[in-house]
Amino acid sequence: MGGAKTEWMEVQERGWSAPETFVCADCVEDPYLKELIKGAVCANTCDYCDRHDITGIATSAEVVIQAIYDAVHTYYCEPAAGGVPYEHGFVIKPIGIDHVLYNLGFDGHPDFVQAVVDAEVNGDHFVPAADGYWAGSHPHEVLSFGWRSFVHTVKHETRFHFSEGPQADVMSPYEIDVREVLPAIAFRLRPLIRNLAAGTQVYRARVRRRGQAWQPTAKEMGAPPKEVASAGRMNPAGIPYLYTAFERSTARLEAGITGRTSHTVFIATFLLSAPLQVIDLTLLPAVPSLFDLANKEAREQALFIRAFVDAISVPVTKDGSEHIDYVPTQVICEYLAQIFEPTPGTRLGGLIYPSTLQAGGKNLVVFPEDRYVGSYQGVIFAGAGK
């Protein structure tokens, strides 16, 4: 077999053919692709923007185009190769490589973008795919769908027995059983575990209205008694958690104080007498580039964590149905508080989560250490003032 024919077959198999040109980091927008170019420079001149330097600034276009098409074939496939059903046409309308590149967020110098488009050799028809399969889902999509199914189940189908019952005989590899959602989420939250140092200060605000005479003591400024504890975003009714904030201003907003008021507002200071192990939902991981396939697993992890935090942070309208909207986060918090073990034999102390009322504000909810007496893992009342 001739060398030319062998090369042609290789090109057809991989789906692209790169020009014999050189491209610099200024001609791509994606940070990963920029670093890829900088790490493989072998030319002094860029053939696309004509930039020139006495030191190397550009690499072979083939290096960059390979990374781009590796991503294309990870997230898209040709309809026939991916098994898309055909009946008077494919059931999913294929799109061209230019639209694929746009969807992947690829951009750069117009001439290099066109070179990437022109590199495609197999017909310019693509559909979204995972693992080469048109009906597949990427891991973060599987988990996000599982969370949505869990939310629907505990809100509208069964609240207390979702973890029981027979498992489905046949499940797609792109599905997760509702009973596995909580441990799957907890596992993926492990990288967000951190220790709050002893001596950390947090704040809790409470409003004393006209006609009331209570004083800002530890009892009054702490979590409410079990008998009167209403349902919150994190805690079920009758099971009080201690809600605090890291900033005094955030504590005021969380207590419903948005401006001047004729009521008396007390702000209590609490101290941690010992380190507190928490999951910090404000430590959102960076999302690796879509073109950085070596870190695809980390990308999937980051995408899910960010989507999950967004989902549980959505403001809830106080229209009388909030007790239903709170259920999913209450269930997962109870799982994290009572079942999840950060390390063998230990329990999680609480969660740090972003305030929905103050940009950049952070809240700390502390789980009860002893539910019978209502103690909260070394949280000490340190006084209160107006």
Side-chain angles (χ1 to χ4, degrees):
M1 183 180 294
K5 186 173 183 180
T6 299
E7 182 179 356
W8 177 85
M9 292 180 65
E10 291 175 351
V11 167
Q12 295 300 309
E13 183 176 356
R14 72 186 183 218
W16 55 270
S17 176
E20 295 182 356
T21 54
F22 297 92
V23 61
C24 73
D26 287 353
C27 288
V28 295
E29 295 295 330
D30 183 82
Y32 170 77
L33 295 179
K34 285 180 177 291
E35 292 303 313
L36 180 66
I37 292 171
K38 292 176 182 178
V41 292
C42 59
N44 296 348
T45 301
C46 175
D47 290 317
Y48 296 95
C49 67
D50 295 326
R51 188 161 68 92
H52 178 82
D53 203 310
I54 58 174
T55 60
I57 61 167
T59 191
S60 168
E62 181 176 3
V63 171
V64 186
I65 290 176
Q66 178 176 348
I68 294 169
Y69 273 88
D70 283 349
V72 168
H73 296 138
T74 296
Y75 294 97
Y76 287 83
C77 69
E78 297 174 25
V84 179
Y86 187 92
E87 184 176 350
H88 308 297
F90 289 112
V91 296
I92 296 180
K93 185 178 180 180
I95 60 175
I97 187 62
D98 54 341
H99 288 103
V100 169
L101 295 173
Y102 176 83
N103 292 343
L104 294 180
F106 172 69
D107 200 3
H109 190 285
D111 291 344
F112 183 62
V113 172
Q114 188 60 50
V116 176
V117 170
D118 293 340
E120 206 284 321
V121 298
N122 280 342
D124 194 28
H125 297 297
F126 294 89
V127 295
D131 300 323
Y133 180 48
W134 73 281
S137 299
H138 297 282
H140 78 275
E141 296 170 330
V142 174
L143 283 168
S144 293
F145 179 77
W147 169 249
R148 291 194 295 271
S149 297
F150 174 83
V151 167
H152 177 80
T153 297
V154 298
K155 286 173 67 173
H156 303 298
E157 293 182 2
T158 177
R159 192 146 306 163
F160 305 107
H161 304 290
F162 64 87
S163 63
E164 301 178 5
Q167 187 171 4
D169 293 334
V170 178
M171 291 196 69
S172 163
Y174 304 106
E175 294 179 296
I176 181 171
D177 190 277
V178 68
R179 299 175 302 175
E180 302 299 324
V181 167
L182 292 180
I185 290 176
F187 174 77
R188 284 159 179 81
L189 294 179
R190 280 190 177 277
L192 305 187
I193 294 174
R194 58 174 288 203
N195 281 320
L196 289 178
T200 298
Q201 292 187 357
V202 290
Y203 306 95
R204 177 175 170 84
R206 188 179 175 195
V207 180
R208 188 175 69 185
R209 305 186 183 281
R210 292 181 179 180
Q212 295 179 334
W214 57 266
Q215 296 300 310
T217 61
K219 179 180 178 180
E220 293 292 348
M221 296 302 297
K226 294 178 290 185
E227 296 75 14
V228 299
S230 59
R233 179 182 292 274
M234 305 297 179
N235 71 290
I239 304 177
Y241 290 1
L242 180 63
Y243 289 88
T244 66
F246 285 93
E247 308 87 17
R248 296 172 65 91
S249 58
T250 301
R252 286 178 59 91
L253 289 172
E254 295 289 344
I257 306 302
T258 58
R260 297 177 63 87
T261 177
S262 59
H263 302 302
T264 302
V265 181
F266 293 105
I267 298 181
T269 300
F270 292 88
L271 294 176
L272 300 185
S273 62
L276 185 69
Q277 200 167 39
V278 299
I279 287 177
D280 189 345
L281 297 178
T282 68
L283 289 178
L284 297 181
V287 181
S289 167
L290 187 147
F291 300 102
D292 183 7
L293 297 182
N295 286 307
K296 185 176 186 295
E297 184 176 347
R299 175 181 171 83
E300 297 291 336
Q301 175 94 339
L303 287 173
F304 171 72
I305 290 175
R306 286 173 172 266
F308 174 72
V309 171
D310 286 345
I312 68 172
S313 301
V314 172
V316 173
T317 302
K318 301 294 183 68
D319 59 0
S321 65
E322 62 270 15
H323 63 287
I324 297 176
D325 293 327
Y326 284 146
V327 167
T329 49
Q330 292 169 358
V331 174
I332 194 168
C333 282
E334 284 290 272
Y335 178 86
L336 293 173
Q338 298 193 75
I339 305 299
F340 176 68
E341 294 185 346
T343 57
T346 66
R347 287 281 178 258
L348 195 70
L351 293 176
I352 298 174
Y353 61 100
S355 171
T356 60
L357 301 176
Q358 173 149 295
K362 296 181 181 181
N363 294 314
L364 168 67
V365 60
V366 184
F367 302 144
E369 181 180 27
D370 186 327
R371 295 180 177 228
Y372 182 74
V373 300
S375 62
Y376 294 88
Q377 299 205 27
V379 180
I380 299 175
F381 176 70
K386 297 180 182 179

